[in-house]
Amino acid sequence: MPNVKAYFEKLFSAHGIEIPSKREKMFQNFIENEENRTKIKTILELQNTIMKNWKLDTRIRDIIEQQIQIPNGTVGKKYETKLDFIKLGLDDIIYSDFIGLEEYGLKYDNESEIITGTPIKNGDFKVKLNFRISGEEEDSILNEKTFNLIINADPKSLWKDIESNQEDPFWKADNVSEFQSIGDKNIVVASRRGRSHANVGSFRDDDYSFKHLEETGWSIVSVSDGAGSAKFSRKGSEIACKEVIHYFENKLTKELSLQFDTLVLDLNKENNKVVVESEAKENEGNEVENLADIKTETTKSKIGKFIYNNLGGCAKWVHNKLEEFANLNETYIKDFHSTLIFTLFKKYDFGYVVLTFGVGDCPIGILNKDLTEFKLMNWLDVGEFGGGTRFITMPEIFTSDKFVTRFGFKIIDDFSYLMLMTDGIYDAKFVVEANLEKLEKWKEFIADLKGENEDNAAVEFNVSNEEITNQLANWMDFWSPGNHDDRTLAIVF
């Protein structure tokens, strides 16, 4: 007990009572009186209890008034956040429990102090935390603190999905997907209308086509991206892709194919079965062999001229067909502006021969069987190198000295994936053109396709997988801020 005499003196003084010296002994006896001492002790205990209660009330009020922000959630997206009371300076909280989180699709675990779940409502909500702090009685009424919980709407839900006008003379389905065998390989392809188009009920401008030519053994895949600024580009991309197939169906005869087969077999012998590439690229100061202007007649130069004449002939054929269609419809070829990429591949005893052509900003990539090597089979018309996007509808691409570099040629033992895509895929998944040159980025892309993404959307590349088209179409519905263009992806595997 504190100095009792001092306490009594202070008490008396507070009541205006002074103890004269002649009453000093009397005062001392009063202090030592057991009854008085007991009462003083009770008073002191009550004072301590009052002060303790005041400190508890003050601390509780401080906690209630402390600004704490719970991280925002998003409808349909897995949510998890820990209320680290120690880091928040709330280590004296000994019990906590949120009330009503279940209403929003969430739950709280008192032991781990973690909120988890998948939000089902969007809005700005008030949620209550019941808590008790150290020093309070176990049966005391719980304190209540209100938190702001903001759950954002699913971004996808903010976009409309208005069907395109089926009465339009150039109408085509908004979303399509297919899976078939193509030669001794398989192809799965999907083309989805972009959210920006669906939001206003406009058309899918992308397109694709593919076919295996049984007589010659060649397989063909074409992909095109219609320019958003061209009013009939949806038809332009469709014509471009179909005419690629039509051209080779008629022009790549058995006799012509046998001529190429002989050249490839000779080339393979000359190089002792070493993989050979004809680089269809002009980059970082590396000169590209001009396939159309080779003075010495070698096997490789003959192959180069074959590629130039036949793939180049196809490109010119497509251009002419688009021009004919524009004239027939009394409009301009620029109204059908479309990019175009296509590939031909064929299996030989020593492996596969892959030929490509590309104009525009759509990449073609091929990966070997064990994913240790990758080749970008075309350069893109973007940035300083390309000078901006080019289209198969532009006559100047055929007179440009870069036209000859638009072709690719590769011999490969086997491949795991041969991919053609429009920029709706590449912009979102590769971000910048330079990443298309990196093997690790393509391996990440394949891992993404197989389910390593926030949606856990996966494509099972199995010939017996009856859901593969749905899986690819579902995967292609991924969310990427700022990337809402049409998406087309063709995968040969």
Side-chain angles (χ1 to χ4, degrees):
M1 182 181 290
N3 187 315
V4 177
K5 182 177 180 181
Y7 181 82
F8 270 98
E9 288 175 343
K10 190 173 182 180
L11 178 63
F12 278 46
S13 176
H15 287 78
I17 300 174
E18 297 293 333
I19 306 299
S21 56
K22 65 179 180 179
R23 305 285 189 205
E24 186 64 35
K25 186 174 181 179
M26 177 183 171
F27 181 61
Q28 187 63 36
N29 291 335
F30 184 83
I31 292 173
E32 293 175 356
N33 181 274
E34 188 63 30
E35 182 181 354
N36 290 338
R37 291 177 68 88
T38 298
K39 291 179 178 179
I40 286 296
K41 181 180 179 182
T42 300
I43 292 172
L44 290 173
E45 289 175 350
L46 288 172
Q47 285 183 331
N48 289 335
T49 299
I50 291 170
M51 295 310 299
K52 176 186 174 183
N53 290 341
W54 171 252
K55 290 178 179 178
L56 284 173
D57 288 351
T58 300
R59 177 56 182 153
I60 291 167
R61 180 53 53 184
D62 287 342
I63 293 173
I64 292 172
E65 294 176 351
Q66 183 173 339
Q67 294 297 314
I68 300 174
Q69 182 63 49
I70 300 177
N72 296 351
T74 300
V75 171
K77 186 176 181 180
K78 189 175 292 186
Y79 182 89
E80 180 174 318
T81 189
K82 178 176 175 60
L83 290 179
D84 194 328
F85 289 131
I86 294 177
K87 286 187 177 180
L88 291 170
L90 304 176
D91 51 314
D92 51 348
I93 290 182
I94 58 174
Y95 175 82
S96 57
D97 185 30
F98 276 95
I99 305 301
L101 281 179
E102 293 77 11
E103 180 182 349
Y104 312 112
L106 304 173
K107 62 180 180 179
Y108 177 73
D109 182 74
N110 176 47
E111 294 298 322
S112 63
E113 299 170 351
I114 294 177
I115 301 174
T116 58
T118 302
I120 57 176
K121 290 183 180 181
N122 67 283
D124 190 346
F125 306 109
K126 303 291 185 183
V127 294
K128 295 178 180 178
L129 173 71
N130 286 342
F131 69 95
R132 182 178 290 121
I133 66 173
S134 177
E136 291 189 279
E137 299 295 333
E138 288 188 7
D139 59 350
S140 62
I141 297 174
L142 291 170
N143 310 293
E144 187 178 281
K145 177 177 177 62
T146 301
F147 286 82
N148 286 326
L149 173 62
I150 298 175
I151 299 177
N152 298 312
D154 179 354
K156 296 179 184 179
S157 70
L158 302 178
W159 293 82
K160 298 175 183 177
D161 189 8
I162 303 172
E163 289 187 4
S164 55
N165 179 16
Q166 296 191 26
E167 301 301 317
D168 186 274
F170 298 148
W171 177 86
K172 60 186 178 185
D174 295 332
N175 301 297
V176 289
S177 58
E178 293 182 68
F179 171 65
Q180 288 185 25
S181 62
I182 185 166
D184 69 327
K185 293 287 187 177
N186 299 278
I187 183 170
V188 59
V189 56
S191 185
R192 292 187 62 91
R193 183 175 62 155
R195 291 189 181 91
S196 58
H197 291 179
N199 198 50
V200 295
S202 60
F203 304 91
R204 172 174 58 93
D205 291 329
D206 282 6
D207 222 307
Y208 69 86
S209 192
F210 62 87
K211 187 169 185 177
H212 177 69
L213 307 180
E214 291 289 346
E215 187 177 23
T216 61
W218 285 99
S219 297
I220 312 158
V221 185
S222 60
V223 166
S224 178
D225 179 3
S229 58
K231 59 182 178 180
F232 300 136
S233 65
R234 60 189 178 279
K235 190 64 178 179
S237 62
E238 178 185 339
I239 292 172
C241 290
K242 288 181 177 179
E243 288 299 334
V244 168
I245 305 299
H246 186 243
Y247 176 86
F248 288 112
E249 282 178 324
N250 291 277
K251 301 294 184 180
L252 188 53
T253 63
K254 188 174 182 179
E255 180 183 3
L256 188 63
S257 182
L258 286 172
Q259 292 176 18
F260 184 81
D261 292 347
T262 300
L263 291 172
V264 169
L265 291 171
D266 288 345
L267 179 64
N268 195 57
K269 290 176 183 177
E270 291 171 11
N271 291 278
N272 297 316
K273 298 187 178 181
V274 175
V275 173
V276 180
E277 295 182 3
S278 177
E279 298 285 350
K281 181 179 174 183
E282 187 178 75
N283 194 16
E284 299 178 349
N286 295 326
E287 294 185 0
V288 177
E289 181 178 36
N290 190 324
L291 299 179
D293 188 26
I294 300 175
K295 304 302 182 184
T296 305
E297 283 290 311
T298 63
T299 302
K300 191 172 182 180
S301 71
K302 291 176 182 178
I303 289 175
K305 287 187 176 180
F306 180 94
I307 294 170
Y308 180 87
N309 290 333
N310 289 280
L311 273 68
C314 176
K316 185 61 175 174
W317 168 277
V318 171
H319 174 88
N320 291 341
K321 287 297 180 180
L322 285 164
E323 189 170 43
E324 288 176 15
F325 191 84
N327 292 335
L328 184 64
N329 286 272
E330 299 181 341
T331 185
Y332 304 100
I333 191 172
K334 67 180 182 179
D335 292 333
F336 298 87
H337 272 344
S338 304
T339 67
L340 178 63
I341 54 174
F342 62 83
T343 183
L344 288 82
F345 64 92
K346 181 175 180 177
K347 189 177 190 307
Y348 293 85
D349 291 340
F350 54 81
Y352 290 82
V353 169
V354 182
L355 313 178
T356 63
F357 170 83
V359 58
D361 55 358
C362 301
I364 307 171
I366 187 169
L367 293 102
N368 68 348
K369 202 63 179 174
D370 58 2
L371 303 183
T372 58
E373 293 182 5
F374 157 78
K375 176 65 179 174
L376 181 64
M377 294 296 295
N378 64 317
W379 54 266
L380 308 190
D381 289 285
V382 295
E384 293 181 4
F385 173 56
T389 302
R390 294 289 183 267
F391 304 106
I392 195 65
T393 41
M394 293 178 168
E396 61 265 28
I397 68 169
F398 299 98
T399 57
S400 168
D401 57 3
K402 289 181 179 178
F403 181 69
V404 73
T405 69
R406 294 187 180 278
F407 305 94
F409 169 48
K410 184 174 181 64
I411 297 176
I412 188 170
D413 291 340
D414 197 358
F415 61 88
S416 55
Y417 304 99
L418 172 59
M419 301 189 187
L420 298 84
M421 68 183 75
T422 59
D423 59 353
I425 299 289
Y426 130 67
D427 283 342
K429 295 299 183 178
F430 290 88
V431 185
V432 294
E433 182 189 4
N435 285 336
L436 290 168
E437 299 277 3
K438 299 175 181 177
L439 172 63
E440 62 270 22
K441 292 298 181 181
W442 283 88
K443 291 173 75 171
E444 288 175 9
F445 180 64
I446 292 169
D448 189 323
L449 279 165
K450 292 184 176 181
E452 292 186 18
N453 52 70
E454 64 179 19
D455 297 322
N456 296 316
V459 182
E460 182 185 352
F461 292 96
N462 188 316
V463 294
S464 61
N465 178 17
E466 296 180 355
E467 291 297 315
I468 191 168
T469 54
N470 292 332
Q471 289 174 354
L472 182 58
N474 181 56
W475 177 87
M476 285 175 62
D477 195 33
F478 60 79
W479 177 258
S480 178
N483 294 304
H484 307 297
D485 199 1
D486 292 344
R487 295 169 179 171
T488 299
L489 176 60
I491 306 172
V492 179
F493 65 97

